[in-house]
Amino acid sequence: GKHTMNLDSRAADVRVQPFTLEMGMKFELHVTISGKKLTVSEVPELSIPEDWMRDKLELNFYKSEQGGGGEVENVTYDKQSRTAVITFLSPG
């Protein structure tokens, strides 16, 4: 259906469209933590667009029950090197 979202004092009309999710995968990530930034290496190659991968990484590290996640400020992802940098709003 059609929905209206308020974004920074503006209204945007959006429409929901169904899509098929691929079968789930389990994988291991190697992580280096430093203050507000977290470097993730050996991100698995998935046949999804890069913006979807950034969204998946953001959602994974936003969850505090995953062992210390938090509100994510930015995610950069380099498909070629299979690395990502997660920047949090607050250190911790």
Side-chain angles (χ1 to χ4, degrees):
K2 184 179 173 184
H3 300 277
T4 301
M5 296 178 62
N6 293 319
L7 305 167
D8 295 329
S9 305
R10 295 182 187 184
D13 291 329
V14 295
R15 185 173 302 277
V16 177
Q17 294 193 358
F19 62 93
T20 303
L21 291 174
E22 293 182 19
M23 193 160 192
M25 295 180 63
K26 285 189 176 186
F27 53 86
E28 180 178 326
L29 297 175
H30 299 266
V31 176
T32 303
I33 300 173
S34 173
K36 287 178 56 175
K37 292 189 177 192
L38 179 119
T39 302
V40 182
S41 60
E42 298 183 37
V43 176
E45 292 183 45
L46 301 177
S47 58
I48 60 174
E50 288 186 35
D51 57 333
W52 288 17
M53 180 60 85
R54 282 191 298 275
D55 291 346
K56 286 181 172 294
L57 288 164
E58 179 176 348
L59 287 171
N60 184 68
F61 289 101
Y62 184 81
K63 298 176 184 176
S64 59
E65 67 268 12
Q66 295 292 330
E71 194 166 350
V72 174
E73 180 179 323
N74 186 43
V75 176
T76 57
Y77 168 64
D78 182 0
K79 185 174 186 172
Q80 197 147 20
S81 67
R82 295 177 44 214
T83 61
V85 176
I86 317 299
T87 305
F88 294 96
L89 284 176
S90 303

